[in-house]
């Protein structure tokens, strides 16, 4: 399936309101609204969106859970790339090579990406935001991050950040989300094994022996539900 690429101007408040309405980023999504607030504070002025995006993490959850349900679920995601630059100049270009070069030239202002899975209740699949730009918006410094490379419109972009995901309560809990974020950082920075949220759940349901089941976390008699 071919993905549709669009540019969005986010220069004034009216642009942000229209953008939130277009992607249905309502007040029922506090995590997404927190991400959007951080991006606005970091000076984001433009976005490139791609629909029908195939996300590896979302595909893993779809294969393990959604595809086995009677109700049909969508598996294609939307990916949003944010820039601290006005992207209106891209609309004047028509040649693919020119567009690719123009996007790549904006790498310094690249603020990161957010992948939206097709779930109304928990849409945030993966988000990586620029730690350097977020550090300018708070008195707290982000100390754990690594470089993530992405491709859009033929351009290669990179961002230094920490991966974030929102738990899908149908197949996991906050523990799986926390383990996923730590594991994805180690995979990206230190080439540790890649694993999805369903992989974490499968491992948790298959402890190697009763002693490990009793001793995690340290000092516990048994794990509670």
């Amino acid at each position: 399936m071919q993905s549709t690429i669009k540019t969005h101007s986010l220069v004034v408040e009216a642009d942000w309101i229209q953008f939130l309405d277009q992607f249905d980023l309502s007040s029922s999504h506090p995590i997404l609204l927190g991400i959007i607030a951080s991006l606005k504070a970091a000076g984001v002025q433009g976005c490139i969106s791609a629909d029908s995006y195939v996300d590896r993490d979302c595909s893993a959850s779809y294969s393990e859970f959604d595809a086995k349900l009677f109700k049909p679920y969508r598996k294609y995601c939307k990916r949003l790339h944010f820039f601290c630059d006005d992207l209106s100049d891209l609309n004047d270009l028509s040649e693919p090579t020119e567009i690719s070069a123009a996007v790549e030239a904006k790498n310094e202002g690249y603020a990161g990406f957010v992948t939206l899975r097709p779930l109304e209740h928990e849409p945030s699949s993966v988000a990586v935001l620029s730690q350097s730009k977020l550090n300018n918006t708070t008195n707290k410094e982000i100390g754990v991050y690594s470089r993530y490379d992405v491709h859009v419109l033929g351009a290669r972009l990179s961002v230094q950040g920490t991966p974030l995901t929102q738990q899908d309560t149908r197949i996991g809990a906050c523990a799986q989300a926390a383990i996923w974020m730590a594991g994805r950082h180690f995979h990206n920075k230190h080439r540790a094994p890649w694993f999805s949220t369903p992989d974490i759940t499968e491992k948790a349901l298959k402890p190697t022996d009763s002693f490990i089941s009793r001793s995690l976390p340290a000092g516990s008699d048994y794990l509670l539900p």
Side-chain angles (χ1 to χ4, degrees):
M1 179 179 291
Q2 186 175 4
S3 179
T4 301
I5 308 294
K6 295 181 180 179
T7 59
H8 308 267
S9 177
L10 301 173
V11 178
V12 298
E13 184 63 25
D15 295 335
W16 283 99
I17 295 175
Q18 183 180 8
F19 180 77
L20 292 174
D21 290 341
Q22 179 175 349
F23 290 97
D24 193 26
L25 307 182
S26 64
S27 57
S28 61
H29 304 144
I31 293 180
L32 261 180
L33 290 181
I35 292 174
I36 295 298
S38 297
L39 290 168
K40 291 175 66 176
V44 164
Q45 299 185 43
C47 173
I48 297 178
S49 67
D51 63 6
S52 302
Y53 175 76
V54 178
D55 176 59
R56 185 178 178 184
D57 285 284
C58 186
S59 295
S61 298
Y62 179 86
S63 299
E64 184 65 25
F65 183 76
D66 297 306
K68 300 177 182 179
L69 301 178
F70 180 75
K71 178 182 177 180
Y73 280 89
R74 294 174 295 160
K75 66 177 181 179
Y76 295 105
C77 300
K78 299 181 186 295
R79 203 178 202 190
L80 310 177
H81 299 272
F82 295 94
F83 298 80
C84 293
D85 298 294
D86 186 358
L87 304 179
S88 57
D89 58 317
L90 298 180
N91 297 324
D92 300 327
L93 304 176
S94 57
E95 291 295 326
T97 54
E98 293 180 345
I99 297 174
S100 176
V103 173
E104 202 159 289
K106 299 180 182 297
N107 184 72
E108 185 175 348
Y110 186 52
F113 65 89
V114 178
T115 303
L116 303 177
R117 56 193 171 202
L119 299 178
E120 295 180 359
H121 60 297
E122 286 142 354
S124 303
S125 179
V126 182
V128 178
L129 306 182
S130 169
Q131 59 84 23
S132 61
K133 293 176 174 54
L134 292 185
N135 281 346
N136 295 329
T137 65
T138 177
N139 58 359
K140 297 180 180 179
E141 183 175 353
I142 302 172
V144 178
Y145 55 86
S146 61
R147 171 177 166 171
Y148 289 79
D149 295 323
V150 298
H151 297 84
V152 57
L153 289 172
R156 178 178 179 178
L157 304 171
S158 63
V159 58
Q160 298 267 9
T162 304
L164 168 72
T165 190
Q166 180 180 15
Q167 72 181 84
D168 182 353
T169 53
R170 304 172 307 161
I171 61 174
C174 56
Q176 280 97 328
I179 294 171
W180 179 93
M181 288 185 280
R184 190 54 50 86
H185 169 74
F186 274 91
H187 166 74
N188 189 67
K189 188 168 186 177
H190 305 292
R191 293 298 176 258
W194 186 98
F195 53 79
S196 64
T197 300
D199 293 333
I200 298 171
T201 303
E202 181 182 5
K203 295 294 184 182
L205 295 176
K206 296 179 180 179
T208 56
D209 54 49
S210 59
F211 176 77
I212 291 180
S213 299
R214 294 196 307 270
S215 60
L216 295 174
S220 64
D221 293 328
Y222 285 95
L223 287 179
L224 300 176

